[in-house]
Amino acid sequence: MDTMANEETTTWELLRERSLQTGGFGEDRVRIWPALLGVQPLSDPPPYSEVECITQDLSNAAIDNGGYSYEDTDPHPDERQIKLDTDRSFVLYSLESSSASRDALQNDLHDLLLSLFRKRRSLHYFQGFHDIVSVLFLTLPRPLHFPCVEKMALHRVRDSMGIGLEPVVGLLRILRNLLRLVDPEYAKLLESISPLPYHALSNLLTLFSHDVPTLPLIQHVWDFLLSREPVAVVWLAAAVIIYRKPSIQLLAVHDEGGMIHSLLGALPELIDG
């Protein structure tokens, strides 16, 4: 189902159910994701009110920068790292032949990130945040980029955007404790290799966007995540680790600790089905 048959009956439960179906939200992502991020109610048709306000405030200079307003503001301390990361972006997800050049997309992504961090100066960039923004960038139309990226930063990954990593380490502890509850024996084996599941750090930090190999797959993963509480990323990480259990146990029998680390650090083969 590519279109929403009856928006009035669309509820959280229906969205969560649809997120598990083949193809997920499909073409409706351009309406569902902004609603789930709190940019605009799902029942309200475009144009989006928040987008209109932002657009009205754009200066000519900002429009020249792809519609992302950051001119005449002081640089953010993290801009050097932002530049390094955006210069190597759009490599994982292949671009269609009709798409803009990779350089142009990288420049637009860079401007989008600067617009966020110069507005929200208390946020601290972390390596991999550009992967998150890239998914929104490639999925949603341009007027939705900034409001959705801002909501994502403030409400979905805010704990990762402080000075230290302690909140993220807290997520690792939650993941460890969840594994203890689900499978105590397996959790004990994993903790004998590493006290915390640091191999899942990238997945938790970037909502799997750094490691999922294709854009359609990460879009479907996000259909699942965005229609659930932010802690759902921990549930998904736990499911991946549990899926690896037979292989991990076999490697443990043969005392292949190094191979266990490598296996846990990579996602299994994913298909949208």
Side-chain angles (χ1 to χ4, degrees), residues 22-250:
T22 301
F25 297 154
E27 295 179 357
D28 290 327
R29 288 188 184 99
V30 296
R31 301 197 62 190
I32 297 176
W33 281 14
L36 294 176
L37 288 169
V39 170
Q40 183 76 11
L42 185 61
S43 58
D44 288 358
Y48 298 90
S49 56
E50 289 196 26
V51 175
E52 282 187 314
C53 293
I54 293 170
T55 303
Q56 290 170 1
D57 291 338
L58 289 175
S59 65
N60 290 333
I63 293 173
D64 290 339
N65 283 322
Y68 310 126
S69 178
Y70 69 87
E71 293 295 313
D72 301 323
T73 55
D74 293 332
H76 188 280
D78 296 335
E79 289 187 16
R80 180 179 179 276
Q81 187 61 55
I82 291 172
K83 176 63 174 172
L84 290 173
D85 283 358
T86 54
D87 281 350
R88 52 176 176 257
S89 59
F90 301 116
V91 174
L92 185 61
Y93 305 134
S94 59
L95 304 175
E96 298 294 335
S97 58
S98 60
S99 298
S101 70
R102 180 171 283 109
D103 287 345
L105 291 174
Q106 289 173 343
N107 289 336
D108 282 351
L109 179 65
H110 177 261
D111 291 343
L112 175 57
L113 285 164
L114 290 196
S115 69
L116 171 69
F117 284 93
R118 291 193 183 186
K119 178 183 178 182
R120 301 290 183 177
R121 304 191 67 83
S122 63
L123 296 179
H124 292 266
Y125 178 83
F126 63 87
Q127 286 185 269
F129 182 66
H130 73 291
D131 292 314
I132 292 175
V133 177
S134 295
V135 177
L136 294 170
F137 185 97
L138 293 173
T139 302
L140 302 175
R142 181 181 294 270
L144 288 169
H145 287 174
F146 183 85
C148 287
V149 167
E150 184 178 35
K151 293 288 188 180
M152 178 71 81
L154 294 176
H155 301 297
R156 300 293 301 201
V157 295
R158 180 66 179 85
D159 287 347
S160 302
M161 306 191 76
I163 296 176
L165 285 177
E166 183 56 33
V168 182
V169 174
L171 288 180
L172 292 176
R173 295 192 183 102
I174 294 173
L175 176 56
R176 177 200 62 192
N177 294 341
L178 179 58
L179 291 169
R180 286 176 176 177
L181 288 172
V182 173
D183 194 329
E185 183 178 348
Y186 182 40
K188 185 176 180 180
L189 170 60
L190 293 173
E191 290 176 43
S192 70
I193 300 165
S194 176
L196 286 175
Y198 292 107
H199 50 82
L201 185 59
S202 173
N203 294 333
L204 298 180
L205 273 174
T206 71
L207 307 182
F208 286 84
S209 62
H210 184 70
D211 301 291
V212 172
T214 69
L215 182 61
L217 281 173
I218 190 59
Q219 287 171 331
H220 198 169
V221 169
W222 278 24
D223 293 343
F224 174 87
L225 293 177
L226 293 180
S227 58
R228 290 164 177 82
E229 301 89 336
V231 76
V233 68
V234 177
W235 310 341
L236 189 56
V240 171
I241 295 170
I242 292 170
Y243 176 83
R244 291 292 201 189
K245 178 180 176 179
S247 299
I248 297 300
Q249 289 178 320
L250 182 61

